[in-house]
Amino acid sequence: MNLIIWLVVGGLIGWVASMIMRTDAQQGVILNVVVGIVGAMLGGWLLSPLVGVGTVNQGDFSVMGLLLSLGGAIILLAIVNLVRRGSVR
């Protein structure tokens, strides 16, 4: 059951991040899930030590944990856009 919640929350986080970064038209459902999960891991490595809160991947299902996961997904999409297009957006 935890895996299903992890995939659904990862998909929602990836979708919101793609809406913020305006890449939603280029991505499908599977890529949104991947971006959400990898972004949560990235947020856990980069942002979590700064704030002191875990991410969704670390079992912290709170508003701050969701925001850290979203921040990691936005950072991931910014890096991908920078490599592919030469600009963050």
Side-chain angles (χ1 to χ4, degrees):
M1 194 67 182
N2 207 11
L3 177 69
I4 294 171
I5 293 171
W6 193 48
L7 291 173
V8 170
V9 170
L12 289 174
I13 289 171
W15 176 69
V16 171
S18 68
M19 294 293 282
I20 292 171
M21 294 300 291
R22 296 185 188 128
T23 60
D24 190 45
Q26 303 163 0
Q27 296 178 196
V29 173
I30 294 174
L31 193 56
N32 279 339
V33 171
V34 170
V35 165
I37 292 171
V38 174
M41 289 190 309
L42 187 65
W45 290 329
L46 294 176
L47 303 175
S48 182
L50 298 174
V51 180
V53 178
T55 63
V56 174
N57 287 351
Q58 298 167 340
D60 184 15
F61 195 77
S62 64
V63 173
M64 196 63 187
L66 291 173
L67 289 176
L68 279 176
S69 298
L70 178 63
I74 290 171
I75 291 171
L76 176 66
L77 285 176
I79 291 170
V80 169
N81 285 343
L82 189 63
V83 170
R84 289 177 72 195
R85 298 183 198 165
S87 68
V88 175
R89 283 201 173 194

